[in-house]
Amino acid sequence: MELLEAREKRDAFEQDLLEKNGQVLLSLRGNYPGENKDAPSVSYVVETLRKEVLKTFRVAEEYAEQSKEGLLYFFLLQEEGGEAKRKAVLLEETHPLGRLADLDVRDRGRIYSRRDLGCPERSCYLCKEKAVYCVRSMKHTMEEVILYFEKQVKEYQLLECENTPQRQ
């Protein structure tokens, strides 16, 4: 119930931002199963992708929130909604941690979807079926999905360490 209340609070916050500012809003959160969205790996994914958002989008304002949904970022953008969604999908699909997060784009009138761009729905982490099918049918255990998420984060962190110049 707390997670549902947090989602409703987030939606109201997003609506309020849009009413006051009238710009395009990008929200960023971890795509982690279950109730414990505060796992350190989730915050790591969100913080890593926040840096990419700041490099990729024309951000006018940024807000952060910690809730039952985990670490959330909201960015008011200075760009058109369709173009922002295209960039968001590209980031989700090309960054090594992109699949582990949700980058949602909306403005006052609509929420932009992958379908708007002619893109397929997101696939499952484990079997490549449509993610929504696997979630609804509970095809995989939560433990399997969490293990995948954690493994992806650890592999990325190892690559980051290997690519970081060593001080002499």
Side-chain angles (χ1 to χ4, degrees):
M1 191 62 149
E2 290 176 341
L3 192 56
L4 180 60
E5 289 171 1
R7 286 183 180 144
E8 289 171 354
K9 184 179 171 189
R10 173 179 43 86
D11 188 59
F13 178 73
E14 289 178 357
Q15 292 288 352
D16 190 47
L17 278 177
L18 289 168
E19 287 300 316
K20 289 178 182 172
N21 297 290
Q23 294 170 297
V24 171
L25 177 69
L26 171 72
S27 63
L28 166 63
R29 67 182 181 277
N31 189 4
Y32 193 80
E35 297 286 322
N36 181 22
K37 311 282 188 190
D38 285 338
S41 59
V42 180
S43 294
Y44 179 83
V45 166
V46 172
E47 286 292 353
T48 300
L49 290 173
R50 173 189 169 267
K51 293 172 191 168
E52 296 300 319
V53 165
L54 293 173
K55 287 190 260 182
T56 305
F57 296 86
R58 293 191 329 260
V59 175
E61 295 179 49
E62 174 185 9
Y63 302 88
E65 178 179 312
Q66 185 72 41
S67 78
K68 289 290 182 185
E69 287 189 281
L71 179 60
L72 309 169
Y73 278 101
F74 306 93
F75 306 92
L76 287 168
L77 306 178
Q78 295 177 322
E79 48 196 282
E80 188 271 324
E83 178 62 14
K85 184 61 180 180
R86 186 192 67 73
K87 289 179 181 180
V89 169
L90 191 62
L91 189 54
E92 288 175 340
E93 297 295 328
T94 60
H95 191 280
L97 298 178
R99 296 191 66 227
L100 306 181
D102 283 325
L103 291 158
D104 296 325
V105 176
R106 66 192 299 182
D107 60 25
R108 278 188 184 166
R110 66 189 286 195
I111 297 172
Y112 292 85
S113 72
R114 290 170 162 261
R115 195 172 321 135
D116 294 333
L117 302 175
C119 296
E121 293 180 40
R122 292 186 92 171
S123 61
C124 172
Y125 291 155
L126 302 174
C127 71
K128 309 306 179 216
E129 292 277 343
K130 289 181 181 178
V132 68
Y133 164 76
C134 290
V135 170
R136 287 185 184 149
S137 68
M138 295 190 301
K139 183 175 180 179
H140 311 290
T141 66
M142 192 177 315
E143 290 77 20
E144 288 175 301
V145 180
I146 288 171
L147 281 172
Y148 175 87
F149 190 103
E150 299 293 337
K151 180 178 180 241
Q152 295 302 114
V153 171
K154 281 183 177 54
E155 287 177 3
Y156 181 81
Q157 289 171 326
L158 285 172
L159 283 174
E160 284 294 291
C161 287
E162 290 173 7
N163 292 329
T164 301
Q166 299 297 319
R167 292 185 191 169
Q168 298 286 331

